[in-house]
Amino acid sequence: MSDIIKEKSVGGNSMKLRKMLSIMLALSMVLTVLAGCGTKNENSMYNGDYEIDSVLNPLGSEYICKEPVELEIMIAANGNVLDYETNKYTKELERKGNVDLKFTLLPAGDATAKINLALSSGTDLPDILIASLNDANLATYGEAGVLIPLNKYYENSSEYLVPQAKKLVEDGGIDILKYITMADGNIYTIPRYNESLMNEFSTVLWIYKPWLDKLGMEVPTNLDELETVLQAFKDNDLNGNGKNDEIPMVDCTANKGLIDILQTYIQTGEDDLSIMKDGSLAFAYTTDEYKEFLKYMKRLTDKGLYDKTSFSQDNATLKTLINSQEVTVGVFSHTSTSILTSAKDRRLDYVPMAIKNNNVSVLFSKTMPGNIFYITKDCEHPEVAFRIGDYMCSKDMTVWSRFGEPVVDWREPAEGTEALYDFLGYEAKLESILLWGSPQNAHWMNVTPGFRTTDVVLEIAAGNDDSQRSKADAIELMYDEYPENGTMVNKIIYNAEELSERANILNAITPYVKQMRFEFLTGKADIDADWDAYIKELKGMNIDRLLEISQTAYDRMK
């Protein structure tokens, strides 16, 4: 690691009975996962009998360690973190843990390559690695023994994450432990669970309300109304400049708008998989629903209602277009109206749509835990490292990792302050003082393990950010319409062999599907006449094998 910058741093009885049985069942599920983990990697000493590290205090003590312990953390440097050594988040970890943290800081632009190099070599490793590793890498490095399984620490040494994970299951949420357990039965990460309606409703269709007002029309609620409105946008000089320059709907090569409308036909999840009525998986882009979607979008494209530049322009070009001095765009799709920067008022002039067909046009992605914190085979005190990562998942430190030090960087708002999500019955309990996205020394810019449920975000004071307010309006509009958990493929855990094989298949299928969508919508291919050939080509690319792999892993998880 000679080329790596190193820095020292840091109801009644029956209801009660049902609730008790529910809790016991949830607890049993969690313990079954944990008890079953750790027995399949026979070469790992970390799956043996548990014995607490002698330097540790019992769970619940004021300090984690009895005596100081030094830990080295490898993490990508962030330009908005002034000094990891003196950072207030670091200092709190050191105080609570009775640890001395040192950092191997990786250049941000080169971090992924250097992390893979370090893990592949398996030598001169830090105690802790903080980085986003996909499941393929995690499975590979875990099964190779470079990253150690943490099962017995989850079972015996978690004060914060496991109790919160159990509570989430009791409350009807996802089983986090299931989604971080690899196919070999081991858990190699302490995750970041960052539940947020802002992120779960990942993109929204936005329509320019002043144009609707001029036409005396309402916000569209179904596909026919949307087409009628887009035609009116095209046929009228709504910006009053005497030119025929109105663009009814525009997108970029990320196809967010297309995918939003696709959701009205069929809900898509991970790898564009959908759960069909019989419970089996299907590749969304081979279904009759997708074919009908193509016909609708082809009609819009032929009429000039869906602009053809959408197939070639990138997000930066789209951003420039919708921020032009003169409004020319009627409908676009984006996470929020924060993409509108040149004219602040536009952030409220563009309003959300919830287009219904069979479903509602909302790309809903259930929050999954993300891989972020790992302990390497070279760590002398792995249980101490685990306890530090576990403390990062406490509610206090999760809030700190995003908002900074309490009282100083965020505060409890004055009584009567409006909450951003008051329509869901939440009261404002957190008002940010520290500006997000600027250089600071209060936290690590959220690049840490953590456990944050939706409540934390819903309790944020409304403030004066119009893009946040408009996104809250969108969620209020669509909240009762989002698909139930059972209709979405949120995440599937594959083993290393499955990951490798499916990656090879997807590498061929994904660009082909996108190219054929372009050809279908622009008339280079005929949706009816060329559909069978399209399906035949996908079968030649082993799409049936892809579905077999996915179904096997999906059934295994269930």
Side-chain angles (χ1 to χ4, degrees), residues 164 167-169 171-176 191-201 364-370 398-399 402-403 421 424 426 446 449-460 475 479 482 485 490:
Q164 292 177 116
K167 181 65 166 57
L168 187 63
V169 173
D171 293 342
I174 69 165
D175 184 350
I176 289 177
R192 178 159 197 85
Y193 182 67
N194 191 15
E195 191 178 47
S196 168
L197 287 177
M198 287 272 190
N199 297 330
E200 291 188 342
F201 289 86
F364 177 84
S365 304
K366 188 67 180 174
T367 298
M368 291 287 112
T398 299
V399 172
R402 167 59 178 84
F403 298 98
Y421 292 88
L424 293 177
Y426 286 87
N446 228 9
F451 186 93
R452 191 178 87 182
T453 58
T454 300
D455 288 6
V456 176
V457 177
L458 300 185
E459 292 168 352
I460 295 175
I475 293 170
Y479 186 75
Y482 76 84
N485 293 344
N490 294 309

Side-chain angles (χ1 to χ4, degrees), residues 87-99:
N87 191 276
K88 291 189 292 184
Y89 181 85
T90 302
K91 290 303 179 184
E92 172 56 22
L93 293 176
E94 292 184 321
R95 181 202 68 78
K96 174 67 176 179
N98 193 13
V99 293

Side-chain angles (χ1 to χ4, degrees), residues 18 52 90 138 152 169 179 225 282 286 290-292 300 343 360 364 374 385 406 430 435 443 457 469 495 528:
R18 286 197 299 271
I52 191 171
T90 302
L138 188 56
K152 65 181 180 181
V169 173
Y179 285 109
E225 290 177 0
T286 64
Y290 179 65
K291 186 177 182 181
E292 291 307 307
L300 296 192
V360 62
F364 177 84
Y374 325 91
L430 191 154
L435 181 65
H443 52 66
V457 177
R469 285 178 170 271
N495 62 36
D528 284 319

Side-chain angles (χ1 to χ4, degrees), residues 487-500:
T487 69
M488 299 293 290
V489 181
N490 294 309
K491 182 178 180 180
I492 299 177
I493 303 294
Y494 301 92
N495 62 36
E497 292 78 12
E498 291 166 341
L499 284 165
S500 176

